[in-house]
Amino acid sequence: MSTKRFLNHPALSLRPVTHPTGSGTGTGTDTGARSAATGAATASTTAADCGLLLLRLTFGLLMAAHGAQKLFGLFGGHGLTETSRGFAALGYRPGKLFAVVGGSSELLGGLGLAVGLLTPLAAAALIGVMINAMATVTGAHGLWDTDGGVEYSVCITVVALAVTAIGPGRLAVDRFFRWGAGGWPQAAFALGLGGVAAAITLSL
């Protein structure tokens, strides 16, 4: 009699036991709970996302302001007419066309980085402008900006390229697209396109 009670004891049930965090034969409720937890963890905004947003907004909006100075004379800028003369004096002819291209690249590239939209393309626009600046203006004056050197242009180029390689973060429009995760292909695209555009411009 005692043997029968022992064999019928609930602790010796042969039914499979489901562990709430297991990966095998969990119930639908357990699976749904795990999926919800994973989704919540994935959807959380990290300090890195906020840091990237701060970097993008500061850097991108300042670059866009530089473009607005050249194109529209805003923020104490000289405007398109004076900028066109400056480009012509550097050998960019017609000066107005290249002033528009340069100013638009800074304006649109800066805004693109600020909101995280088409980040590789926005970075390429800024990189192309900075390569031109280094080749025609700052390269002959060494490294430091106090001497008119390449310091400023190098910093802009590196920041734009780094944001593209890292990705703009979750707080960006590009989070919905595959290039929003960053990576080697995106960084190579930005650097390559910016370099090719600069080479074409310098050869004209």
Side-chain angles (χ1 to χ4, degrees):
M1 192 69 177
S2 61
T3 303
K4 185 182 291 186
R5 284 198 303 270
F6 177 77
L7 291 174
N8 291 330
H9 195 278
L12 295 180
S13 172
L14 299 178
R15 289 178 300 173
V17 178
T18 302
H19 194 282
T21 60
S23 58
T25 58
T27 63
T29 303
D30 293 332
T31 304
R34 286 197 302 272
S35 298
T38 303
T42 303
S44 63
T45 300
T46 66
D49 294 321
C50 294
L52 280 167
L53 176 64
L54 177 63
L55 176 65
R56 288 185 0 251
L57 285 175
T58 304
F59 176 77
L61 291 178
L62 285 175
M63 289 307 304
H66 274 286
Q69 286 179 322
K70 291 179 174 66
L71 294 174
F72 311 117
L74 299 177
F75 311 113
H78 297 295
L80 187 58
T81 301
E82 190 63 31
T83 302
S84 299
R85 293 195 189 100
F87 271 77
L90 291 171
Y92 293 100
R93 291 187 171 83
K96 187 172 184 178
L97 172 63
F98 285 103
V100 169
V101 171
S104 298
S105 296
E106 290 183 344
L107 176 64
L108 298 178
L111 291 176
L113 279 184
V115 300
L117 176 61
L118 300 175
T119 301
L121 189 60
L126 297 178
I127 290 170
V129 172
M130 292 303 111
I131 292 175
N132 269 273
M134 287 185 276
T136 60
V137 182
T138 59
H141 301 286
L143 175 61
W144 303 113
D145 186 62
T146 51
D147 300 322
V150 299
E151 176 188 2
Y152 171 80
S153 300
V154 168
C155 288
I156 292 173
T157 300
V158 170
V159 170
L161 186 60
V163 170
T164 307
I166 297 167
R170 286 185 52 81
L171 303 177
V173 179
D174 278 346
R175 60 174 288 193
F176 299 107
F177 305 101
R178 66 178 183 271
W179 58 81
W184 288 112
Q186 289 79 2
F189 173 85
L191 183 59
L193 181 59
V196 168
I200 292 173
T201 302
L202 290 168
S203 67
L204 295 177

